[in-house]
């Protein structure tokens, strides 16, 4: 008979996610992880595999949660442009939409691992592409309602907004001047107000 786990798998994974998010992959030691997760090394290996496999599982958990948060925020605006404004102003006031303390776990991974690890390059790119699809769907909704010009190329604008979102998220880690942030957000939103001509 298989031995039943004596710990909460989701809680342990959340703990690992925040340790990696705070410290990064290389700096997070196995001792950091087992202590934070409240488990012993054999249990970690049995449940998640090695450190790299645990990191991948934690990253996938993060991107799923992050995408859900972004999707939820985009659904709250009274208009398409206001929905994007709400998202960007939230990032510009509190940092990342999942946890402002650490910036964005996915962006951290893009910087630390993606340049030399093809698997994490793909995983982080997939998240960017998913966000671009969310943005594109909202833009196209605005085009159907007449709020946004049908002349604009929705996919290109969506990708540009993802780049702007990533840039703003990174910049917020350095506590930039408020007026700089506000003006940058206004300039970003201008792309949605163009007549496309």
């Amino acid at each position: 008979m298989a031995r039943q786990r004596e710990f909460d798998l989701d809680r342990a994974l959340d703990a690992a996610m925040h340790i990696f998010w705070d410290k990064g992959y290389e700096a997070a030691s196995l001792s950091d992880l087992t202590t934070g997760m409240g488990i012993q090394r054999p249990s970690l290996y049995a449940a998640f595999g090695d450190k790299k496999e645990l990191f991948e599982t934690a990253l996938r958990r993060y991107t799923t949660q992050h995408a859900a948060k972004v999707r939820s925020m985009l659904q709250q605006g009274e208009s398409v442009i206001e929905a994007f404004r709400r998202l960007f102003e939230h990032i510009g006031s509190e940092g990342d939409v999942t946890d402002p303390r650490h910036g964005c776990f996915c962006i951290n991974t893009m910087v630390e691992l993606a340049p030399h690890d093809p698997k994490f390059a793909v995983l982080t790119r997939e998240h960017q592409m998913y966000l671009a699809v969310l943005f594109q769907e909202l833009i196209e909704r605005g085009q159907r309602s007449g709020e946004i010009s049908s002349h604009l190329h929705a996919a290109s604008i969506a990708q540009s907004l993802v780049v702007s979102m990533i840039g703003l998220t990174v910049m917020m880690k350095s506590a930039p001047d408020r007026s700089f942030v506000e003006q940058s957000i206004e300039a970003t939103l201008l792309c949605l107000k163009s007549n496309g001509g």
Side-chain angles (χ1 to χ4, degrees):
M1 178 185 294
R3 185 178 177 182
Q4 188 175 6
R5 289 197 182 100
E6 298 175 352
F7 63 93
D8 185 310
L9 199 66
D10 288 335
R11 185 176 298 175
L13 184 55
D14 278 337
M17 180 178 73
H18 283 277
I19 292 166
F20 281 131
W21 192 348
D22 189 37
K23 292 177 172 285
Y25 175 75
E26 292 295 342
S29 68
L30 282 173
S31 294
D32 292 330
L33 292 164
T34 54
T35 300
M37 296 167 74
I39 62 177
Q40 301 298 317
R41 289 194 186 193
S43 297
L44 186 154
Y45 293 134
F48 302 105
D50 62 18
K51 178 182 173 183
K52 194 168 187 178
E53 289 173 312
L54 174 60
F55 185 89
E56 179 182 347
T57 303
L59 177 62
R60 289 182 184 277
R61 185 173 184 83
Y62 170 83
T63 56
T64 298
Q65 293 177 353
H66 184 259
K69 292 274 188 178
V70 171
R71 185 170 56 249
S72 176
M73 293 196 70
L74 291 176
Q75 292 170 348
Q76 295 175 25
E78 295 181 4
S79 71
V80 169
I81 292 175
E82 285 307 308
F84 280 113
R85 181 184 299 281
R86 177 188 293 268
L87 174 63
F88 277 86
E89 287 183 346
H90 184 83
I91 296 169
S93 62
E94 297 185 35
D96 177 81
V97 295
T98 304
D99 190 327
R101 296 173 301 166
H102 310 300
C104 174
F105 184 18
C106 188
I107 293 173
N108 295 349
T109 304
M110 285 167 51
V111 173
E112 182 183 11
L113 296 179
H116 53 81
D117 190 311
K119 173 178 281 188
F120 291 105
V122 169
L123 288 175
T124 55
R125 192 176 305 121
E126 284 177 348
H127 186 53
Q128 296 164 39
M129 291 171 64
Y130 182 77
L131 293 177
V133 169
L134 288 181
F135 288 4
Q136 181 178 342
E137 289 174 350
L138 187 60
I139 293 166
E140 289 172 345
R141 192 180 84 193
Q143 289 177 320
R144 290 192 298 272
S145 71
E147 180 187 355
I148 296 176
S149 171
S150 60
H151 295 291
L152 293 176
H153 191 267
S156 297
I157 297 296
Q159 291 165 11
S160 177
L161 289 172
V162 171
V163 172
S164 297
M165 178 182 177
I166 291 171
L168 180 60
T169 302
V170 172
M171 187 172 68
M172 290 309 299
K173 297 182 78 169
S174 65
D177 182 79
R178 287 302 312 158
S179 64
F180 188 92
V181 173
E182 291 165 2
Q183 290 169 16
S184 297
I185 292 172
E186 288 304 318
T188 297
L189 296 175
L190 280 177
C191 70
L192 294 169
K193 301 175 182 178
S194 169
N195 61 21

